Amino acid sequence: MDRTLTVPSLARISVSLASTIKDVVNRYLRVVGRMTKYIISGKSDVLVRGQSAASILGSTAMNVHEPLDFICGMDWQLGGPQLNADGTPLGLSGATIQWKLDSVDGGTNFVTLTDGNGISVDLAASSVSIDVPAAETAALSPGTYRDYLIVTLQTGPKIPMWTGIIRAGAQPA
């Protein structure tokens, strides 16, 4: 049995059971962020984004995530579950959460978001969702940046949960 993935102006791509939709998408399309669900959406054949653009596991052991690719001038979404070093969910009740996008050397901050201002928290899932609006990313020059997620627990410790590289590309012409 074949599945069919319809993509604007690319006609139809057949997927056999032997290959996954992810394999086909990686072969024929440029995915922005990491595709974590095999639901594809996009505004054009140039930009296709997985339903969850980037899922990142945060840990009190400070994860270094894989490089992520986004487009300047578009909304960016990333986030994921936040765990203690032993793998148990991190209690986020009363915590203050901050996401920063800095130069690779950390010398310049370009974007800072906080809980309630670009960051939403799901306490039951110990998960954070970060929505960087297009207005913020439009001010960025295409290039390489470093991001950080920092959680300050109600009890006081400030914990860097993740860091990694974000490559920001130019808007398609």
Side-chain angles (χ1 to χ4, degrees), residues 2 16 40 53 63 66 73 84 104 106 117 119-120 126-127 158 163:
D2 280 351
S16 71
I40 309 302
N63 279 347
E66 295 176 21
N84 290 301
V104 174
N117 179 30
I119 298 177
S120 52
S126 292
S127 183
K158 189 175 189 175
T163 187

Side-chain angles (χ1 to χ4, degrees), residues 36-121:
T36 59
K37 296 181 182 179
Y38 305 128
I39 299 172
I40 309 302
S41 63
K43 294 183 180 176
S44 74
D45 60 336
V46 175
L47 172 67
V48 177
R49 180 180 301 154
Q51 184 179 20
S52 176
S55 180
I56 304 169
L57 179 68
S59 170
T60 55
M62 188 156 156
N63 279 347
V64 176
H65 65 72
E66 295 176 21
L68 303 173
D69 295 308
F70 292 107
I71 303 294
C72 296
M74 300 196 75
D75 293 327
W76 299 359
Q77 293 90 32
L78 59 155
Q82 304 306 301
L83 306 176
N84 290 301
D86 65 3
T88 59
L90 178 66
L92 297 175
S93 181
T96 302
I97 300 169
Q98 181 182 59
W99 179 82
K100 296 173 63 173
L101 184 70
D102 290 350
S103 58
V104 174
D105 66 5
T108 304
N109 175 254
F110 295 97
V111 180
T112 299
L113 301 176
T114 56
D115 41 332
N117 179 30
I119 298 177
S120 52
V121 179

